Amino acid sequence: MGRSAIKSETALRALVQKAAAAAEAVPDAATARKRGNTGNTSNAARVAASAAGEIRIIGGQWRRTKLAVLTRPDLRPTPDRVRETLFNWLGQDLAGWRCLDAFAGTGVLGLEAASRNATQVRMVESDVQLAAQIKQLAQKLGATQVEVSRGDALAALQAYPAHWDLIFIDPPFSGQLFAPALKAAQAAVTAQGFIYLEAPEAWSEEALAELGLVSYRYLKAGAVHAHLLKKAAPVEG
C-alpha cells in the first residue's frame, strides 16, 4: 500500500472516530433544554451528523452489528426493511455464491452477502475514502472473502462475463448510469443468477426486456424501488 493510501485511511479512521465521539458527547434534547445550552448542542450534533452515520448488518453471522460510516450527499445505504426483504427473496444462506457490489457506497449490501456466507464478494467504489472505509469494515468483521477496489463500476461489470451469481446495482439516483449498468450486468451474471436494482422509479417490463432482463420480484419502500431481476430466457430460433 502506498503512502497516500495509508494517509487516506488514517485520516478516514480519525474522522469517523471524531464524529462518533462528538455524537456521544451530545446530550439528549431534554437535558440540553434544562441546561439552557441548545445552541451549542445543536451545532455539535449537526457537525457529528454531517461527518458520520451508521449502518447495521441485519442477518447472518454478523447480525445486529452496527458500523460507523461516513456520509455523502448522494449516498443512500439500502434501508433495513429493503435488505431484509431482498434476502428473504434470495435465501439466507449464500454459500457458494459469487457476488459483485458494483456501486458499493457504504458496502452494506456486499457485507450482508458476506454475512450470509457468500464465497466471493467483490465491492467496487469510485470514492477513495469510501473504498478505504469498506476495507476497514471488512477487516473489522473478519470478512476474508471480501475484495474491495477503487474504480469504475462499468469496467468491473465488463471484466468477468457470465461470472457472478448476484450483482448489486445501486448507482447515484441523480446520475445516468442505470441503463449502462444493467446492460453490463446482464452480460456479467450467470444464466441462473440475480441482479438487484435499486432505483428512484419502477422499471417497466418493456424497458427491462430491451436489456434482456425480466422482473422476478419488486418492492417499493418510500422513495426506493427495489427490483430483483433475472436474465430473460433465450429466444429459440
Side-chain angles (χ1 to χ4, degrees):
M1 183 182 295
R3 293 182 179 178
S4 59
I6 294 173
K7 289 181 179 179
S8 175
E9 293 196 22
T10 301
L12 173 62
R13 188 181 299 109
L15 181 56
V16 172
Q17 292 173 344
K18 182 177 180 181
E24 291 175 358
V26 176
D28 60 42
T31 303
R33 284 194 295 271
K34 290 179 181 179
R35 293 177 179 176
N37 193 32
T38 56
N40 291 339
T41 297
S42 60
N43 287 340
R46 281 195 297 270
V47 170
S50 67
E54 184 179 81
I55 57 174
R56 180 173 67 99
I57 307 299
I58 61 171
Q61 60 183 310
W62 303 310
R63 184 180 180 184
R64 298 190 182 93
T65 301
K66 295 180 179 180
L67 302 166
V69 295
L70 296 180
T71 62
R72 291 286 189 275
D74 221 3
L75 191 63
R76 301 164 292 93
T78 301
D80 288 10
R81 174 195 167 192
V82 175
R83 279 182 281 130
E84 181 176 11
T85 300
L86 171 61
F87 287 98
N88 284 337
W89 291 340
L90 294 169
Q92 298 300 321
D93 186 3
L94 302 187
W97 290 43
R98 295 171 296 189
C99 306
L100 171 63
D101 192 350
F103 301 87
T106 63
V108 69
L109 285 171
L111 293 175
E112 288 281 5
S115 184
R116 291 166 168 81
N117 305 314
T119 300
Q120 178 187 11
V121 180
R122 186 177 181 204
M123 294 199 267
V124 180
E125 172 54 48
S126 60
D127 185 295
V128 63
Q129 287 189 325
L130 292 178
Q133 175 179 257
I134 298 169
K135 289 182 181 179
Q136 292 174 15
L137 297 180
Q139 291 170 358
K140 178 178 180 179
L141 294 170
T144 56
Q145 74 272 57
V146 170
E147 312 164 31
V148 183
S149 61
R150 177 180 174 246
D152 178 71
L154 296 181
L157 286 164
Q158 295 164 359
Y160 299 96
H163 176 80
W164 303 103
D165 301 296
L166 174 60
I167 298 174
F168 299 109
I169 302 293
D170 183 14
F173 278 8
S174 60
Q176 303 297 319
L177 292 169
F178 289 97
L182 284 175
K183 182 178 180 180
Q186 195 274 350
V189 74
T190 61
Q192 301 303 317
F194 294 94
I195 299 169
Y196 170 72
L197 168 67
E198 195 166 307
E201 59 187 10
W203 276 63
S204 69
E205 294 287 353
E206 293 77 14
L208 292 171
E210 292 179 1
L211 298 169
L213 298 167
V214 295
S215 178
Y216 181 74
R217 294 285 189 272
Y218 169 79
L219 167 71
K220 183 181 185 301
V224 171
H225 294 260
H227 311 68
L228 191 59
L229 312 173
K230 291 181 69 70
K231 278 188 175 183
V235 177
E236 296 183 3

